[in-house]
Amino acid sequence: MGVPLLKEELPVSNKIWTRDFMMIFLANFFVFLSFQMTSPTLPLFVKELGGNERYIGLVAGMFLFSALIVRPFAGQALETKGRRFVFLFGLAFLAVAIGSFGFMMSIFLLCAMRVVQGIGWGYTTTASGTIASDLIPAKRRGEGMGYFTLSGNLAMAFGPSFGLFLADVLTFQQLFLFCGALSLAAWIMASTISYKKVEQPSAPTKTNRFDIYEKSAVAPSVLVFFITVSFGGIATFLPLYTMEKGLTGIQVYFFLYALALIFTRMFAGKIYDQRGHQAVFIPSTLFIVAAMLLLAWMPSNMILYIAAIFYGIGFGAVQPALQAWSLEHAARNRKGMANATFYSFFDLGIGFGAILFGQIGYLFGYRSIYIMAAISVLISILAYLWILKKNEVILWIISKI
C-alpha cells in the first residue's frame, strides 16, 4: 500500500475556486462594475458642468494619479497591517467618493473627489490582486489570475452599457449613488473572507524608508504602462468619438470587448503557465495595435465591433500574463509590493493616456488619439524585444562563468 497523503498534499490544495476565492472574485466584480459604469458617464457629467475635452481628460486621469501615489503605501501596508485592513479601508473610501460625485456642482470639486476615489482605488485594487494571488496555488498562478481578472471583464461586459442606460433614466446624482452602493456591497463581501496571515521573514531585514516598488516586477510593469495608455483613450473618449461619427454601437462595443476578454481568459493563462510570456506577449499586442488602427479609421459600426473583438483578445491575454510575470519572482513577503508596482504602472498608463489624449483630442480631433495609442503599444513591443535580448545576454554571460 502507498503512503497516505498528508492533508497539505491532497489534490484539494491545488483548487482555485475555493469559497474565499469566489468572495474576492465577487467583491472585485462589484468594484469594477461601479468603475465601468462611471467611466462612460463621467465625461457626460463633465460636459453637463460645462467642460470640454481638456477637462474631461483631467477628470478622467486625476484619480489614477492619486492612486499611483498611494499604491506603494498600500503595498507596504499589505505586508505590515494585513490584507483585511487595507482592502476594507480602500473599499470604504471608494463607496464614499463615488456616491458623492453627483453632489459636486463644479469641475474643481469633482476633481477633488476624484482624488479621494483614487486613494480608495489604489488601496482596493492593490489589495484585491494580492489577496487573489494568496489564494491561488502557485503552480496555477497564471490560470488563476486569468480567472480572477475575469471579474473585472464581466463588469466591463455590463458596466458601460448599463451605466449609459441608467444615465438616460436617472439623474446623475441617483446614478452615482447607485454606483457607490455597489462599492458598499463589495465591502460587505470582503468582510467575509478568511485572509491569510502575512508571512514575516525568519531573519530581521533592513527596512528602506523609500521602499516604493518591487524590483522584480519593474519589467512587466513598464510594458503594461505603454499598453494601458491605449485604454485611457478608449474608456474616456470612445463614447464621444462614436457620437461625433454618428455611430450608435458604443454599448455593443463594450459588450463584444468583454466577451472577447472572457473567451481569451479561458486559455491564455494556461498558455502562460505552460510556455511563459514569450508565447503570449507579441501576438496579444499586435491584436491591440490592429484594434487602435481600426478605431482611427472606423467608417461603420462593423469596424467598431471588429476593433472591440481584437482589443478584447489582445488585452485579455496580455494583462494577466504580465501580472503573473510581475508576481513570479517576488519573495513571499514582497507579493503586495510587486502587485502595487504592477498596478502603479497600470494606472499611470491609463491616467497619462486620458490626460494626454484630452489635449490631443482638443487640438487634433479624436482620430489622432487612436493613432497615438497604436504607437504607444508598438513602443511596448520594442521594449519587450529589448528585455528579451538583455536577458539572453545575461544568461550567456552566466553560462560562461
Side-chain angles (χ1 to χ4, degrees):
M1 293 181 63
V3 178
L5 290 174
L6 297 176
K7 183 177 181 180
E8 300 84 64
E9 298 171 325
L10 289 172
V12 71
S13 64
N14 204 39
K15 183 179 179 182
I16 292 177
W17 289 98
T18 61
R19 176 196 171 279
D20 286 334
F21 184 80
M22 286 188 280
M23 284 296 101
I24 191 65
F25 182 95
L26 289 172
N28 201 58
F29 169 75
F30 277 95
V31 167
F32 274 82
L33 182 62
S34 174
F35 172 74
Q36 297 296 348
M37 288 177 65
T38 58
S39 289
T41 53
L42 264 176
L44 303 178
F45 185 48
V46 174
K47 282 277 190 181
E48 185 174 280
L49 293 177
N52 58 25
E53 285 78 12
R54 286 176 168 173
Y55 288 109
I56 291 171
L58 181 64
V59 170
M62 183 67 70
F63 98 105
L64 291 170
F65 283 108
S66 62
L68 172 68
I69 292 172
V70 303
R71 281 201 190 280
F73 301 102
Q76 291 177 341
L78 284 168
E79 311 303 346
T80 55
K81 297 187 178 297
R83 283 32 170 169
R84 179 186 180 88
F85 172 83
V86 175
F87 197 33
L88 295 181
F89 175 84
L91 286 170
F93 263 67
L94 276 183
V96 171
I98 296 174
S100 69
F101 284 166
F103 298 93
M104 304 296 106
M105 291 296 102
S106 74
I107 294 176
F108 173 79
L109 290 176
L110 183 60
C111 283
M113 195 51 62
R114 286 284 276 176
V115 171
V116 177
Q117 183 196 8
I119 295 172
W121 182 259
Y123 275 86
T124 298
T125 52
T126 302
S128 61
T130 306
I131 294 163
S133 178
D134 288 342
L135 298 171
I136 297 168
K139 292 183 179 180
R140 301 181 69 184
R141 182 162 288 129
E143 179 185 359
M145 292 307 294
Y147 292 144
F148 171 69
T149 52
L150 270 177
S151 57
N153 305 149
L154 288 170
M156 170 60 79
F158 304 104
S161 56
F162 189 41
L164 290 168
F165 168 76
L166 289 182
D168 288 334
V169 299
L170 299 176
T171 66
F172 281 113
Q173 189 176 97
Q174 293 168 334
L175 169 64
F176 296 134
L177 281 173
F178 179 81
C179 293
L182 292 175
S183 294
L184 180 60
W187 189 96
I188 295 171
M189 292 175 187
S191 66
T192 69
I193 296 173
S194 299
Y195 296 90
K196 290 189 176 181
K197 291 184 179 180
V198 178
E199 294 187 20
Q200 299 297 334
S202 55
T205 57
K206 184 179 179 181
T207 58
N208 183 357
R209 62 185 300 183
F210 299 107
D211 181 21
I212 59 173
Y213 72 99
E214 167 55 36
K215 184 177 180 180
S216 65
V218 169
S221 299
V222 169
L223 296 176
V224 86
F225 165 81
F226 287 106
I227 293 169
T228 55
V229 163
S230 66
F231 194 82
I234 290 175
T236 308
F237 296 104
L238 191 57
L240 297 172
Y241 184 32
T242 55
M243 289 173 61
E244 180 184 85
K245 284 269 193 175
L247 303 179
T248 58
I250 185 61
Q251 296 184 22
V252 178
Y253 172 92
F254 285 116
F255 184 72
L256 290 175
Y257 163 58
L259 287 182
L261 275 166
I262 293 168
F263 172 76
T264 305
R265 293 285 163 82
M266 298 298 178
F267 58 85
K270 293 182 179 179
I271 294 176
Y272 174 87
D273 288 335
Q274 295 169 3
R275 302 178 60 187
H277 52 79
Q278 294 89 341
V280 177
F281 188 86
I282 297 295
S284 302
T285 47
L286 289 177
F287 268 105
I288 296 175
V289 170
M292 294 300 100
L293 295 177
L294 287 174
L295 289 177
W297 177 38
M298 201 169 67
S300 65
N301 277 336
M302 183 58 64
I303 298 301
L304 176 68
Y305 300 155
I306 294 172
I309 294 170
F310 279 14
Y311 195 74
I313 292 172
F315 199 77
V318 78
Q319 189 254 324
L322 289 176
Q323 188 169 7
W325 181 8
S326 69
L327 294 165
E328 186 175 341
H329 300 294
R332 285 182 178 273
N333 67 318
R334 297 288 296 174
K335 298 294 185 186
M337 188 56 74
N339 216 44
T341 302
F342 178 81
Y343 275 115
S344 291
F345 281 86
F346 190 101
D347 286 348
L348 182 62
I350 297 177
F352 179 77
I355 293 175
L356 172 67
F357 293 149
Q359 301 298 317
I360 291 175
Y362 181 79
L363 295 172
F364 305 109
Y366 293 125
R367 179 173 178 269
S368 302
I369 290 174
Y370 302 97
I371 295 174
M372 290 300 299
I375 292 172
S376 179
V377 180
L378 285 172
I379 292 172
S380 77
I381 295 175
L382 294 176
Y384 178 73
L385 294 174
W386 179 82
I387 290 169
L388 288 185
K389 188 66 177 178
K390 179 182 176 183
N391 289 342
E392 286 178 5
V393 171
I394 291 173
L395 290 174
W396 181 82
I397 293 173
I398 293 173
S399 68
K400 298 299 181 181
I401 297 176

